[in-house]
Amino acid sequence: MNLLAVDTSSKAASVVLYKDSLLMGECLYNHGKNHSVYIAPMIEKMLEACDLSFNQIDYFACGVGPGSFTGVRIGVAMIKTFGMVEDKPCVGVDSLYALAAAKAAGEEKLVIAIEDARRNRVFACGVKCETTVIETGVFPLEELYGLLCAYNKDDVLFVGGGTRIYKDDILSHGYSLDMNALITGRAIALAAMEYIKEGKTCDCCSLLPKYLLKSQAEQSKK
């Protein structure tokens, strides 16, 4: 099984290629600009380096958000196109869940993956071991801290792009963080492989972004 996975839902953009459970290729950059310019060449170069073509890919997966509205659209549109052109199934993965689950696999702590939702709010998902403790949603930071009251602060780890923005706030509340643990194509692929085993795939037309808020432009119209 050849699986191509993409995530552009945050400032980091990445692509990854798996053959069965073996990582074949990976490319990531994290400067937060021009995902639409760089992501396609990244995929082409990775496939070329791995001596594979698009028609040899069995599944196309992407992070569907929540996160950057523009970023999510770029990744979803690209994977929808690949799935349509190659007539192959797609897999949509909650980006924050993918990160939290991947990080939690190597941790005993409750892992909270966050991305900035602006106005002192975050998109967040919490996973401990293999259990989702906090379903993906939008939370004011203080509300999120309140949901963690039952846990020892030493047993909670914040990850994701949001940690770079809210670093001081998180640390001032006594929690630890890992600013280098970001949403990646690898995390998306690992979750997608589990989805595939469970039959949770879709056709290109059914692959949709996961928006939990209206875009800034839509909010400005009010």
Side-chain angles (χ1 to χ4, degrees), residues 21-80:
S21 59
L22 181 65
L23 176 64
M24 301 295 292
E26 184 173 27
C27 185
L28 178 148
Y29 77 92
N30 186 33
H31 63 66
K33 296 180 180 179
N34 298 325
H35 289 351
S36 61
V37 174
Y38 295 113
I39 197 73
M42 287 165 63
I43 294 172
E44 291 174 2
K45 290 179 180 179
M46 186 182 67
L47 288 175
E48 181 181 359
C50 295
D51 196 27
L52 284 174
S53 59
F54 280 102
N55 61 14
Q56 292 176 284
I57 303 300
D58 299 301
Y59 295 92
F60 293 98
C62 69
V64 296
S68 159
F69 286 91
T70 300
V72 169
R73 283 195 294 268
I74 290 168
V76 171
M78 180 166 286
I79 291 303
K80 285 170 73 77

Side-chain angles (χ1 to χ4, degrees), residues 108-159:
E108 294 183 0
K109 297 181 178 183
L110 167 60
V111 177
I112 307 295
I114 62 171
E115 288 293 334
D116 185 28
R118 302 191 178 186
R119 300 180 182 177
N120 214 39
R121 298 173 300 178
V122 293
F123 300 113
C125 177
V127 177
K128 183 175 176 61
C129 299
E130 297 181 356
T131 302
T132 301
V133 176
I134 298 175
E135 295 286 347
T136 299
V138 186
F139 305 91
L141 276 171
E142 290 301 324
E143 180 182 334
L144 182 58
Y145 296 142
L147 296 176
L148 302 176
C149 287
Y151 295 88
N152 187 308
K153 292 185 177 181
D154 291 336
D155 294 330
V156 178
L157 175 67
F158 280 79
V159 299

